[in-house]
């Protein structure tokens, strides 16, 4: 699979892998516009999963995930000194929201909602599943159930 490593232009050698996944390729990189540094890499498993290369961002996104369980969380933008960070969140039921994190305050403040006309409680649940085909190939998919479904029909 494809991973992420540093490449030394002088010696023309790769460093040990910075991020890789044994099953999935790296799908996307997150860089900060002001510094042009790559701060994260992601793979798309059952869910979009990101590895933050900055300890500070890793800890911040970890706290955001605890605040919004079941949501995908990412860094949309940040100031050059990382004191202000714009964070996006979304889930199968929540089309998305954006927050500003100010390091000096240590709080998240909502900036806006994506598609405010959508009512999250009325959106379907998505549950990942896996099974092996007759030839042994692992197949992945999702079951999508209406909100009031008991899963029987």
């Amino acid at each position: 699979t494809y991973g992420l490593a540093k490449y030394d232009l002088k010696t023309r050698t790769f460093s040990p892998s910075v991020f890789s996944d044994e099953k999935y390729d790296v799908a996307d990189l997150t860089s900060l516009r002001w510094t042009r540094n790559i701060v994260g890499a992601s793979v798309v498993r059952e869910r979009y999963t990101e590895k933050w290369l900055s300890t500070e961002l890793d800890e911040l996104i970890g706290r955001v995930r605890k605040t919004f369980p079941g949501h995908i969380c990412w860094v949309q933008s940040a100031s050059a000194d990382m004191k202000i960070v714009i964070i996006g969140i979304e889930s199968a039921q929540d089309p998305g929201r954006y927050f500003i994190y100010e390091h000096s305050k240590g709080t998240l403040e909502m900036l806006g909602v994506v598609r405010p006309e959508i009512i999250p409680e009325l959106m379907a649940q998505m549950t990942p599943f896996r099974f092996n085909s007759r030839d042994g190939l692992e197949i992945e998919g999702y079951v999508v159930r209406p909100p009031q479904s008991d899963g029987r029909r």
Side-chain angles (χ1 to χ4, degrees):
T1 62
Y2 292 112
L4 178 65
K6 292 181 181 179
Y7 183 72
D8 187 320
L9 294 171
K10 291 180 183 174
T11 63
R12 296 181 178 213
T13 58
F14 286 99
S15 70
S17 178
V18 174
F19 175 66
S20 65
D21 187 273
E22 61 186 44
K23 189 172 182 180
Y24 299 98
D25 293 335
V26 170
D28 198 10
L29 299 175
T30 301
S31 62
L32 296 180
R33 180 178 182 183
W34 312 113
T35 63
R36 295 188 180 182
N37 289 335
I38 294 172
V39 295
S42 62
V43 296
V44 181
R45 299 179 183 134
E46 294 88 16
R47 302 178 54 119
Y48 189 84
T49 305
E50 203 145 30
K51 162 75 173 160
W52 298 100
L53 307 177
S54 152
T55 304
E56 183 179 4
L57 284 178
D58 192 44
E59 290 171 358
L60 173 60
I61 294 297
R63 290 194 308 270
V64 172
R65 282 191 184 116
K66 286 180 183 173
T67 303
F68 300 101
H71 282 72
I72 298 168
C73 309
W74 69 92
V75 172
Q76 183 68 34
S77 186
S79 61
D81 62 2
M82 302 288 290
K83 299 295 182 196
I84 299 175
V85 181
I86 307 296
I87 297 171
I89 67 165
E90 67 181 29
S91 72
Q93 293 78 33
D94 182 352
R97 292 177 269 167
Y98 289 94
F99 295 85
I100 186 166
Y101 173 79
E102 293 185 56
H103 185 73
S104 62
K105 295 179 184 176
T107 58
L108 284 175
E109 183 179 326
M110 185 148 63
L111 291 174
V113 177
V114 177
R115 310 270 323 250
E117 69 278 11
I118 292 177
I119 302 167
E121 295 77 24
L122 299 179
M123 301 300 293
Q125 297 284 332
M126 289 179 55
T127 306
F129 70 92
R130 294 184 178 145
F131 68 94
N132 289 324
S133 64
R134 287 186 296 197
D135 64 358
L137 179 67
E138 185 177 72
I139 308 288
E140 299 176 349
Y142 293 93
V143 173
V144 181
R145 295 187 179 107
Q148 278 66 35
S149 170
D150 61 6
R152 295 179 192 197
R153 299 204 232 160

